[in-house]
Amino acid sequence: MRYFLFVLLTLVGTSSVVAQVTIEEEVQTDSIDVFATRETGKSSGLAMAASILLPGLGHQYLGQHKKAYGFFAVETSLWFSYVFAGRFSNRLIDDAKTLAWREADVAGGPGADEFFWQNVGIYMDDGEYNRIQELNREEDLLERKYLSENLTWQWSSDSLREEYVDIRHRATQYRVASSFILAALVIDRVVAFIDTRVATKYRGIRGTGTARAFRVVPYFQGSASGLELHQEF
């Protein structure tokens, strides 16, 4: 009888141990990757550098084709607008000078800087400008007066002078617009860089490094059970 009880207890103890080990193996293999990141083989640094060089290029590299086409469209439009505004501004400046040459007999040349062309639009002729400078009685009077033959002008009518001023004003507007477009090109690169950084951060792209993952693993030990958080490096 004692022998029978001893064998029975031994079998029961062995069965419980085997059952415990079996459950632990099944639980360990059924882990849950809660914050697991994906290793895509893409370089985040290369993607961000490409976005600075050409907005949309980094997104194309990451496979985000819709965003890439959007950035390409914006970049193309901005560059087209910038070139157009710059060229049209220069064209208007040339038109204004042509009008001054034809209607006010302005020769231009040495000494005809931007300040000179502004005065051509303010005063009817160089004599009026020089008289006003004499009234100011400044020490550098001779330097401020226009005495060279190529720096003289005389408008035939006030309406032509106003037309000259209007052309120059439109040229200035296009020049200012080109400056804003240039700023928009810089901002577009900043936006593309930030968006690429966010995309690579949350998609688990970490260059050539290995992927890091957090895993929640259930465990059972005797009468105790719970969850363990593991981080892989």
Side-chain angles (χ1 to χ4, degrees):
M1 186 66 179
R2 291 182 178 179
Y3 178 77
F4 176 77
L5 291 175
F6 175 78
V7 172
L8 181 61
L9 291 175
T10 302
L11 290 175
V12 173
T14 304
S15 300
S16 63
V17 172
V18 173
Q20 182 177 358
V21 173
T22 302
I23 293 175
E24 184 176 355
E25 288 180 352
E26 291 179 356
V27 172
Q28 291 292 341
T29 57
D30 189 21
S31 60
I32 304 172
D33 293 341
V34 178
F35 302 104
T37 57
R38 298 180 299 172
E39 183 65 32
T40 64
K42 302 291 187 178
S43 171
S44 59
L46 181 59
M48 289 184 287
S51 296
I52 295 178
L53 179 64
L54 177 62
L57 188 60
H59 294 84
Q60 184 72 17
Y61 170 73
L62 296 176
Q64 299 180 346
H65 302 297
K66 290 185 178 180
K67 281 189 176 182
Y69 296 151
F71 277 106
F72 287 152
V74 172
E75 184 75 2
T76 302
S77 301
L78 288 175
W79 274 112
F80 177 80
S81 301
Y82 176 74
V83 173
F84 173 79
R87 289 185 176 181
F88 197 71
S89 175
N90 294 334
R91 178 182 174 182
L92 289 174
I93 291 294
D94 293 337
D95 290 345
K97 291 181 179 180
T98 300
L99 179 63
W101 168 76
R102 186 178 65 246
E103 302 296 340
D105 197 23
V106 179
D113 53 11
E114 179 63 21
F115 183 70
F116 168 79
W117 291 110
Q118 289 178 3
N119 289 325
V120 170
I122 296 174
Y123 304 97
M124 286 296 295
D125 53 52
D126 59 287
E128 180 184 2
Y129 169 81
N130 290 334
R131 286 193 298 272
I132 292 178
Q133 299 307 312
E134 290 175 356
L135 295 175
N136 292 332
R137 296 181 179 181
E138 297 181 1
E139 295 180 357
D140 57 345
L141 176 61
L142 295 178
E143 296 180 1
R144 296 179 62 87
K145 292 177 66 175
Y146 294 124
L147 303 176
S148 302
E149 293 182 359
N150 65 303
L151 300 180
T152 60
W153 71 93
Q154 185 174 4
W155 289 101
S156 56
S157 67
D158 191 61
S159 60
L160 290 173
R161 181 187 63 81
E162 291 179 354
E163 181 180 353
Y164 169 85
V165 173
D166 180 67
I167 295 175
R168 282 182 54 86
H169 178 67
R170 286 190 287 133
T172 302
Q173 288 179 328
Y174 278 100
R175 189 179 305 163
V176 173
S178 66
S179 300
F180 279 104
I181 296 171
L182 186 61
L185 285 167
V186 175
I187 295 174
D188 190 40
R189 279 158 171 75
V190 174
V191 172
F193 175 84
I194 295 175
D195 191 71
T196 304
R197 178 68 185 94
V198 172
T200 55
K201 180 178 179 181
Y202 292 103
R203 288 182 62 186
I205 301 174
R206 301 180 182 275
T208 58
T210 58
R212 300 180 180 180
F214 290 97
R215 296 195 307 160
V216 177
V217 181
Y219 75 92
F220 294 91
Q221 186 175 1
S223 60
S225 63
L227 299 175
E228 289 182 349
L229 181 63
H230 294 266
Q231 181 180 13
E232 297 179 358
F233 294 89

